[in-house]
Amino acid sequence: MNLSVRTRFAPSPTGDLHLGGAWTALASWVVARRQGGLSLLRFEDLDAARCVPGSRERLEDDLSWLGLDWDGTPVVQSERGALYDEALARLAGLGLVYPCDCSRAEIARAASAPHEGEEAIYGGLCRDRDPTRPMKRPPALRVRVPDDVVSYDDEALGPFAHNLAREVGDFVVRRGDGVYAYQLAVVVDDAAMAISHVVRGADLVASTPRQIWLARILGAAPPRYTHVPLVVAPDGTRLEKRTPGVTIRALRAADLPATTVIGALAHGLGLRPTAAPSTAVEVAEATATGPIDRKSTRLNSSH
Ligand code: GLU
């Protein structure tokens, strides 16, 4: 047992679980379970407009069909506004927050996790403007990032170093409509849930410097990061959460056993030498201790 190892799977309840979601769910679950740690579940449902009623229950059901179980009660972000208010107040107290009434389209993207290629660096137009000026619209709140480099060693992808001012830019922590941004909520929750290893899809890697910086500012030790390459279909299409792809529901409807799905995913993740049917528990038991790392993760696997 090593209860200090704590991972989380953090789906947004915006639809049924896809193979890509199952892939990261298995990876984060195995990293915890093979070291005798805890694996937690969190629903990222802050952007109510994107959430689909009933999707949370369906996700839980699909995960349990796959044999993935979770420690404790799932954390639901929409119930944690007070924690985010507190973090925002701390950032504001440090003089890091400013209102931004730039275009809605740019700001709207901030509540959900920005996946690869979805983000532009904010030019800083509102940074030095009078925060008490009349606003063109209810302003979003941004944090002022310093001209500093954040470096870290991703356990799957290797070392990274990013200059916050030049490569990241001031980012939104609360949208104009009052919805907290993914970047703030994820950092507050990873700290509150004492997550030691964030294991998630490689399409979220660009968020990491922001999250490490925010965690430090808020007085939390940043977790370790493992960005697992996304599952790729035989035709080369990436099966990530937002790309319509094979759902676990569809595989269940086709009477595919869960062990077949887990065996294929585990092989793709480099956790098993073959794609032979397997339970999630067998995958965790058969794998050496230590997180999924760049030696064991197979890039562009086709399972
Ligand atoms: N909820 C995010 C998503 O659906 C995942 C966030 C994370 O793992 O940090 O992409």
Side-chain angles (χ1 to χ4, degrees):
M1 291 291 265
N2 182 355
L3 297 180
S4 63
V5 174
R6 295 166 68 99
T7 67
R8 78 333 188 251
F9 175 53
S12 302
T14 52
D16 284 343
L17 187 67
H18 286 87
L19 220 36
W23 167 271
T24 49
L26 176 67
S28 69
W29 188 91
V30 166
V31 165
R33 291 303 159 93
R34 69 182 177 181
Q35 299 179 83
L38 300 177
S39 95
L40 285 75
L41 183 61
R42 178 170 78 224
F43 288 103
E44 305 209 325
D45 61 345
L46 290 180
D47 196 355
R50 286 188 54 237
C51 294
V52 174
S55 149
R56 180 182 153 188
E57 292 71 20
R58 288 166 70 89
L59 284 165
E60 283 184 298
D61 186 59
D62 284 342
L63 291 166
S64 106
W65 178 79
L66 286 168
L68 302 174
D69 59 347
W70 310 93
D71 293 293
T73 316
V75 165
V76 180
Q77 289 192 324
S78 58
E79 297 167 358
R80 296 162 73 80
L83 281 177
Y84 312 137
D85 290 345
E86 208 178 286
L88 179 66
R90 286 180 67 181
L91 296 172
L94 293 167
L96 293 172
V97 177
Y98 65 87
C100 167
D101 57 350
C102 288
S103 103
R104 196 172 293 239
E106 188 182 24
I107 291 163
R109 288 194 288 267
S112 37
H115 292 252
E116 202 178 312
E118 281 182 2
E119 249 194 328
I121 298 172
Y122 179 61
L125 190 65
C126 293
R127 189 178 234 247
D128 299 315
R129 296 177 74 197
D130 175 5
T132 60
R133 70 191 182 278
M135 298 285 161
K136 289 196 291 264
R137 52 179 68 87
L141 300 177
R142 286 186 188 270
V143 278
R144 204 180 283 277
V145 298
D147 189 8
D148 288 346
V149 172
V150 168
S151 53
Y152 66 100
D153 196 7
D154 189 285
E155 296 189 12
L157 303 178
F160 281 85
H162 293 287
N163 178 284
L164 289 172
R166 271 180 276 123
E167 295 174 71
V168 174
D170 293 349
F171 58 92
V172 173
V173 285
R174 204 183 71 187
R175 294 195 321 201
D177 59 6
V179 174
Y180 279 106
Y182 159 75
Q183 303 293 353
L184 180 82
V186 94
V187 169
V188 168
D189 287 336
D190 285 342
M193 294 161 75
I195 299 303
S196 62
H197 294 69
V198 167
V199 182
R200 61 185 175 194
D203 57 335
L204 286 167
V205 71
S207 292
T208 310
R210 255 164 275 212
Q211 294 174 11
I212 290 176
W213 176 73
L214 259 189
R216 290 194 181 128
I217 294 284
L218 292 170
R224 283 152 71 176
Y225 289 90
T226 304
H227 287 93
V228 293
L230 293 162
V231 66
V232 174
D235 65 357
T237 340
R238 220 167 55 173
L239 296 177
E240 55 125 331
K241 286 159 290 195
R242 293 188 198 170
T243 311
V246 183
T247 62
I248 298 302
R249 288 275 145 170
L251 300 177
R252 288 173 72 170
D255 280 336
L256 206 70
T259 49
T260 301
V261 180
I262 292 287
L265 292 174
H267 178 53
L269 283 163
L271 293 167
R272 298 289 265 158
T274 71
S278 167
T279 64
V281 170
E282 284 161 0
V283 175
E285 280 169 357
T287 332
T289 52
I292 292 171
D293 59 25
R294 63 199 86 132
K295 289 175 287 302
S296 67
T297 310
R298 241 180 265 175
L299 289 163
N300 297 325
S301 176
S302 58
H303 297 279

